């Protein structure tokens, strides 16, 4: 369990999100934040793509971060040369092994395997302490025997890690098409051939199952998981970093392993420069991820957060919030009044609730600043006395919903 490592590829796969291109200083800042969280491997880019990415990968690799810094390369000598010139300690090479892709490239499986083995041998000879990952692209939809043969040749040529790529988000937990079965079968087949590489999983989110598939891979013994911030990446993207870390910390015994309280800062940074807002209902990092809204929920959650929370927001640097809108009940309003006035008054709360519901029906929430304006606008009979004096406190109101 403790050997599990997270590989963040926001700076490589994440930049394959249409229109996402982080400037150099932002790429550096993202790498620094990932390092602060304790991410184990940062895939910093594919150096062939642009001169800017090349120099950014170099400067991130020279930063002295705790994380291992990696680059991505096609199975080509020129790609490997460029990546190694950046000074990375990790290199990921990939090559397809499915019959249809090989036919398209007019290549036989054996010549593909020769190329894969050659390029790995070349890279390892140039940099013997390089950590090398080989990915049979679209591993899970390729004939299993092709993936095993290519992986075996890669390991014999010096690959340390074989990545199981669900390149198109095809896998489904719990059945024949599960990452659990795929990773188990691959480990077993390689082990029978005397190969014991580390196994990584790279799960795309086309079916919305990337986090579930990554967990399935971990359960089957994968020790490296690829993720991106906000799940960025080709099409529907990849396993979301924050969602995965929250589950690993809360449910898989990795409570202290990564600094999850730093996640909101990282997500704000990436969202801003990716030009992609964090969806309000995004697990863990969305603005609503820990908000209680409906009266029944709010009242119960105020009594005991566990009634409507299975994840502790403080685990990920957040706190629970009460949203005020047409769904609110007296408990929500009383709680909000307490926080702005230091005490709550039942009659005032009832009047405020009418306003909150009216505003909520126009399709927005009332924040604490607006709540104060509502309070200021309500004239109570004893307004001359300090508000609430001689009035009924809102203690233990029951929900209106
Ligand atoms: C790609 C495809 C890839 C490669 C993964 C890897 C995939 O964008 O080049 O090299 O480990 O999903 O198969 O991201
Ligand atoms: Cu990918």
């Amino acid at each position: 369990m403790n050997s599990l490592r997270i590989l963040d590829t926001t700076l490589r796969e994440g930049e394959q999100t249409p229109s996402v291109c982080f400037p150099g200083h932002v790429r550096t800042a993202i790498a620094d934040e990932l390092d602060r969280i304790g991410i184990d491997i940062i895939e910093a880019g594919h150096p062939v793509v642009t001169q800017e990415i090349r120099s950014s990968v170099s400067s991130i690799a020279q930063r002295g971060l705790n994380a291992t810094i990696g680059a991505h390369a096609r199975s080509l000598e020129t790609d490997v040369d460029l990546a190694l010139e950046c000074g990375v300690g990790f290199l990921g090479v990939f090559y397809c092994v499915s019959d249809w892709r090989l036919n398209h490239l007019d290549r036989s499986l054996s010549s593909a395997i020769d190329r894969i083995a050659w390029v790995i041998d070349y890279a390892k000879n140039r940099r013997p302490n390089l950590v090398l990952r080989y990915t049979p692209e679209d591993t899970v939809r390729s004939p299993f025997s092709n993936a095993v043969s290519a992986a075996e040749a890669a390991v014999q040529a010096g690959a340390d890690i074989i990545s199981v790529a669900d390149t198109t988000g095809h896998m489904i937990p719990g059945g024949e098409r599960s990452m659990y079965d795929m990773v188990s079968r691959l480990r077993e087949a390689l082990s029978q051939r005397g190969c014991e590489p580390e196994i990584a999983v790279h799960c795309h989110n086309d079916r919305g199952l990337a986090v579930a598939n990554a967990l399935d891979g971990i359960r089957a013994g994968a020790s490296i998981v690829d993720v991106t911030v906000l799940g960025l990446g080709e099409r529907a993207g990849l396993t979301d970093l924050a969602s995965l870390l929250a589950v690993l910390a809360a449910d898989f015994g990795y409570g202290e392993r990564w600094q999850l309280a730093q996640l909101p800062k990282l997500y704000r940074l990436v969202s801003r420069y990716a030009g992609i807002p964090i969806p309000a209902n995004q697990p863990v990092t969305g603005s609503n991820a820990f908000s209680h809204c409906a009266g029944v929920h709010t009242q119960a959650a105020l009594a005991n957060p566990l009634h409507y929370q299975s994840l502790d927001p403080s685990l990920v640097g957040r706190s629970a919030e009460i949203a005020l809108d047409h769904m609110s009940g007296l408990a929500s309003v009383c709680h909000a009044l307490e926080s702005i006035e230091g005490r709550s008054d039942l009659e005032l709360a009832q009047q405020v609730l009418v306003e909150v519901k009216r505003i909520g029906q126009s399709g927005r929430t009332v924040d604490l600043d607006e709540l104060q304006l509502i309070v200021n606008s309500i004239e109570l009979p004893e307004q001359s006395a300090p508000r609430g004096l001689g009035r009924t406190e809102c203690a233990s109101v029951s929900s209106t919903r």
Side-chain angles (χ1 to χ4, degrees), residues 24-82:
H25 60 288
V26 174
R27 297 179 115 265
T28 303
I30 292 171
D32 287 352
E33 288 303 327
L34 289 167
D35 195 52
R36 226 161 263 145
I37 289 170
I39 296 307
D40 305 275
I41 304 166
I42 298 172
E43 193 166 68
H46 192 108
V48 174
V49 175
T50 61
Q51 171 57 45
E52 285 72 17
I53 291 180
R54 200 143 62 238
S55 60
S56 161
V57 174
S58 280
S59 77
I60 292 171
Q62 318 311 319
R63 253 178 120 60
L65 302 179
N66 289 321
T68 299
I69 306 304
H72 198 231
R74 292 170 298 176
S75 296
L76 294 173
E77 181 178 345
T78 44
D79 280 27
V80 171
D81 286 342
L82 277 183

Side-chain angles (χ1 to χ4, degrees), residues 12-13 202 204 238:
R12 194 281 292 177
E13 173 90 48
H202 179 93
H204 275 269
L238 207 70

Side-chain angles (χ1 to χ4, degrees), residues 256-395:
E256 308 291 314
R257 180 76 167 66
W258 297 284
Q259 305 307 309
L260 275 64
Q262 304 297 322
L263 286 168
K265 189 173 175 210
L266 170 68
Y267 271 63
R268 281 194 297 274
L269 176 71
V270 170
S271 162
R272 174 171 176 189
Y273 290 100
I276 296 181
I278 305 173
N281 62 343
Q282 175 87 4
V284 179
T285 50
S287 58
N288 290 345
F290 299 102
S291 297
H292 302 288
C293 186
V296 168
H297 285 235
T298 304
Q299 198 199 17
L302 285 171
N304 178 354
L306 290 179
H307 287 150
Y308 283 104
Q309 274 171 205
S310 75
L311 262 185
D312 178 357
S314 68
L315 178 74
V316 291
R318 304 281 306 271
S319 47
E321 282 168 28
I322 306 296
L324 295 176
D325 71 4
H326 69 299
M327 287 285 169
S328 297
L330 265 181
S332 314
V333 172
C334 288
H335 174 78
L337 287 176
E338 288 273 357
S339 63
I340 61 167
E341 299 241 297
R343 64 193 311 279
S344 57
D345 171 307
L346 187 55
E347 193 187 332
L348 175 67
Q350 282 161 337
Q351 294 193 41
V352 168
L353 181 60
V354 173
E355 272 306 287
V356 163
K357 281 184 172 289
R358 189 185 60 74
I359 294 168
Q361 284 176 83
S362 70
R364 62 186 184 83
T365 57
V366 172
D367 65 16
L368 294 184
D369 289 341
E370 187 171 12
L371 187 75
Q372 184 69 67
L373 301 183
I374 295 172
V375 168
N376 295 346
S377 74
I378 291 175
E379 298 276 327
L380 289 176
E382 304 113 76
Q383 197 70 29
S384 51
R387 197 189 308 284
L389 201 68
R391 296 183 158 277
T392 316
E393 280 278 328
C394 300

Side-chain angles (χ1 to χ4, degrees), residues 169-173 175-179 181 207 213:
H170 172 74
M171 300 302 257
I172 300 175
E176 283 171 11
R177 240 160 69 190
S178 74
M179 267 313 219
D181 278 8
R207 286 174 169 72
N213 285 330

Side-chain angles (χ1 to χ4, degrees), residues 60-325:
I60 292 171
Q62 318 311 319
R63 253 178 120 60
L65 302 179
N66 289 321
T68 299
I69 306 304
H72 198 231
R74 292 170 298 176
S75 296
L76 294 173
E77 181 178 345
T78 44
D79 280 27
V80 171
D81 286 342
L82 277 183
L84 295 187
E85 280 157 26
C86 294
V88 292
F90 174 103
L91 181 67
V93 296
F94 65 103
Y95 203 95
C96 60
V97 292
S98 65
D99 295 335
W100 55 357
R101 291 279 285 127
L102 289 171
N103 287 341
H104 177 72
L105 297 174
D106 203 15
R107 262 196 181 268
S108 66
L109 177 64
S110 68
S111 85
I113 290 177
D114 286 348
R115 163 166 292 284
I116 293 157
W118 183 87
V119 88
I120 293 170
D121 183 63
Y122 174 74
K124 279 290 214 181
N125 271 320
R126 275 203 62 181
R127 188 78 47 83
N129 57 358
L130 185 71
V131 177
L132 200 141
R133 177 193 68 202
Y134 164 63
T135 307
E137 201 188 16
D138 205 0
T139 321
V140 302
R141 293 192 308 164
S142 302
F144 185 67
S145 59
N146 291 15
V148 172
S149 303
E152 181 187 5
V155 174
Q156 281 165 358
D160 307 282
I161 302 160
I162 299 297
S163 183
V164 177
D166 185 8
T167 303
T168 65
H170 172 74
M171 300 302 257
I172 300 175
E176 283 171 11
R177 240 160 69 190
S178 74
M179 267 313 219
Y180 184 85
D181 278 8
M182 181 70 207
V183 169
S184 306
R185 285 169 63 218
L186 184 66
R187 289 181 74 204
E188 174 65 23
L190 288 175
S191 174
Q192 278 169 7
R193 289 162 175 76
C195 302
E196 307 277 351
E198 266 197 84
I199 301 292
V201 284
H202 179 93
C203 304
H204 275 269
N205 203 30
D206 299 66
R207 286 174 169 72
L209 296 171
V211 173
N213 285 330
L215 291 170
D216 230 15
I218 293 169
R219 286 196 308 116
S223 56
I224 298 177
V225 186
D226 292 6
V227 297
T228 57
V229 174
L230 267 169
L232 296 180
E234 292 276 348
R235 306 179 311 283
L238 207 70
T239 304
D240 172 50
L241 167 68
S243 307
L244 183 74
L245 286 194
V247 178
L248 291 176
D251 308 305
F252 278 57
Y254 287 96
E256 308 291 314
R257 180 76 167 66
W258 297 284
Q259 305 307 309
L260 275 64
Q262 304 297 322
L263 286 168
K265 189 173 175 210
L266 170 68
Y267 271 63
R268 281 194 297 274
L269 176 71
V270 170
S271 162
R272 174 171 176 189
Y273 290 100
I276 296 181
I278 305 173
N281 62 343
Q282 175 87 4
V284 179
T285 50
S287 58
N288 290 345
F290 299 102
S291 297
H292 302 288
C293 186
V296 168
H297 285 235
T298 304
Q299 198 199 17
L302 285 171
N304 178 354
L306 290 179
H307 287 150
Y308 283 104
Q309 274 171 205
S310 75
L311 262 185
D312 178 357
S314 68
L315 178 74
V316 291
R318 304 281 306 271
S319 47
E321 282 168 28
I322 306 296
L324 295 176
D325 71 4

